[in-house]
Amino acid sequence: MSGADATRDGVSLTNLDQPLFDGADATKRDLVDYLDAVHERILPQLRGRPLSVIRVRPGQPPFMQKNLPKYTPDWVARTPVWAEASHREISYALCDDRRTLLWFGNQRAVEYHPTLATVDDLHRPTHLVLDLDPPEGDSFALAVAAARLVRQALADVGLAGAVKTSGAKGVHVFVPVAQGATVEDMAAATRAVAARAERLDPALATTAFIREDRGGRVFVDSTRAGGATVVAAYSPRLRPGVPVSFPVDWADLGDVVPADFTIRTAPALVAERDPWAERLPAPQLLPADLVAEGHTIPIARVQAMHEGKRRARARRAAD
């Protein structure tokens, strides 16, 4: 390994020729080189947002890291966030610059999941997000069809969104929202859009949170709200071949598959332009009637929890 490879932007890079993970067909060097090649594109998606990453160490299962480890360099920006679930303060990284991104790459952080809100106001998400999760199998075309339902549901209330592959098997639709909407109203609007998309074609799309209730349909996930994270545009995914979450024009969505965009192919596609920045519409005001409709719709996770308990009681009674 040459000296130039060993240190980049003041970050010591180690074990670059190790395999990244089983099935990656890539090394740690390939990951670091990719992140560096696209740093001007991915950093705007991460900057100022508490960051969770998925790391993979040799011989160990992947794990999500939220709390920065004690050995994190002092120059990595961070912010404390109180975690209600675990009743403790978590020190989240703020990946604001190339140096920090390279450090994460050297830590074998493959996936980058920022919050929907910035550190300036963690109670004001900047985007409404619908996650289209198709059933198992070769079903990306179903996710595309469901994304078009979401696009129509948005258009019906005067909203517009941009679409990207999730990098896994589904699709994400992002709707930038103007400042002022509360986290509760954002979540409500997301539920309403999901419900409207389901009504457009209930044979294709479902808002059923419980997997066994989906019946081979695409899950229109409205739970990416509030404190949730969503994998960033241009983030690699921990999947065979290391695909990346990549922006697609609505007109081209039916002509691509997730495997078209990988850490090997994506850099050339963003070398001269930022297709995500180009396609995201300007922030929009949420229609009051959409928000009001959403507040009448139960929160999917809560509803699923109650339904799960009800079914468990029914099974016990039947036994």
Side-chain angles (χ1 to χ4, degrees):
M1 183 169 63
S2 69
D5 285 331
T7 303
R8 205 179 299 185
D9 203 4
V11 178
S12 295
L13 303 173
T14 57
N15 303 312
L16 290 179
D17 295 319
Q18 283 185 349
L20 189 55
F21 56 85
D22 289 344
D25 190 28
T27 63
K28 182 177 166 183
R29 183 191 303 275
D30 293 325
L31 172 67
V32 171
D33 284 348
Y34 169 77
L35 293 171
D36 203 10
V38 304
H39 74 269
E40 291 184 354
R41 306 294 180 241
I42 193 172
L43 283 174
Q45 316 312 317
L46 308 179
R47 194 171 284 125
R49 297 175 187 270
L51 179 66
S52 302
V53 295
I54 296 182
R55 296 173 57 193
V56 56
R57 291 172 172 156
Q60 297 182 25
F63 63 98
M64 178 166 273
Q65 175 184 294
K66 298 183 178 184
N67 211 19
L68 280 172
K70 292 179 180 177
Y71 56 78
T72 303
D74 291 341
W75 46 260
V76 173
R78 64 203 73 195
T79 187
V81 178
W82 179 256
E84 195 58 47
S86 55
H87 296 287
R88 65 187 179 119
E89 195 171 76
I90 293 179
S91 181
Y92 280 91
L94 298 173
C95 190
D96 291 349
D97 53 38
R98 175 183 178 231
R99 190 183 187 191
T100 303
L101 187 64
L102 290 171
W103 180 79
F104 270 118
N106 192 58
Q107 294 291 306
R108 305 175 71 101
V110 178
E111 298 193 8
Y112 296 77
H113 296 249
T115 57
L116 288 173
T118 68
V119 71
D120 293 336
D121 191 344
L122 291 175
H123 300 290
R124 302 279 178 176
T126 56
H127 296 78
L128 180 155
V129 177
L130 280 303
D131 179 5
L132 291 308
D133 183 16
E136 293 300 322
D138 186 14
S139 55
F140 184 71
L142 293 178
V144 168
R148 289 174 175 149
L149 295 180
V150 169
R151 188 188 191 195
Q152 182 61 52
L154 290 169
D156 288 345
V157 293
L159 295 174
V163 64
K164 66 183 180 72
T165 66
S166 70
K169 59 183 178 136
V171 170
H172 294 150
V173 178
F174 271 58
V175 182
V177 175
Q179 289 183 339
T182 66
V183 65
E184 293 82 10
D185 285 353
M186 292 274 284
T190 308
R191 294 194 297 274
V193 172
R196 285 170 174 243
E198 179 182 39
R199 289 198 298 270
L200 286 171
D201 190 347
L204 168 65
T206 179
T207 56
F209 191 83
I210 299 174
R211 192 174 296 275
E212 65 195 49
D213 293 346
R214 296 176 192 169
R217 292 169 293 173
V218 177
F219 176 42
V220 185
D221 186 355
S222 63
T223 64
R224 303 302 181 97
T229 64
V230 181
V231 72
Y234 309 120
S235 170
R237 301 303 304 267
L238 219 147
R239 297 272 175 147
V242 204
V244 305
S245 180
F246 203 84
V248 182
D249 192 87
W250 282 106
D252 300 330
L253 194 55
D255 300 323
V256 303
V257 293
D260 290 342
F261 311 107
T262 71
I263 59 171
R264 300 188 193 284
T265 63
L269 299 174
V270 301
E272 303 297 331
R273 51 190 285 261
D274 184 345
W276 190 231
E278 290 173 6
R279 293 184 172 113
L280 276 174
Q284 302 147 84
L285 291 172
L286 294 177
D289 57 343
L290 184 74
V291 173
E293 178 185 334
H295 280 298
T296 70
I297 299 172
I299 297 170
R301 290 182 190 277
V302 176
Q303 186 181 34
M305 179 183 67
H306 291 312
E307 177 62 15
K309 290 179 179 178
R310 187 195 67 77
R311 293 182 188 185
R313 288 195 301 270
R315 283 193 296 270
R316 288 194 298 269
D319 293 341

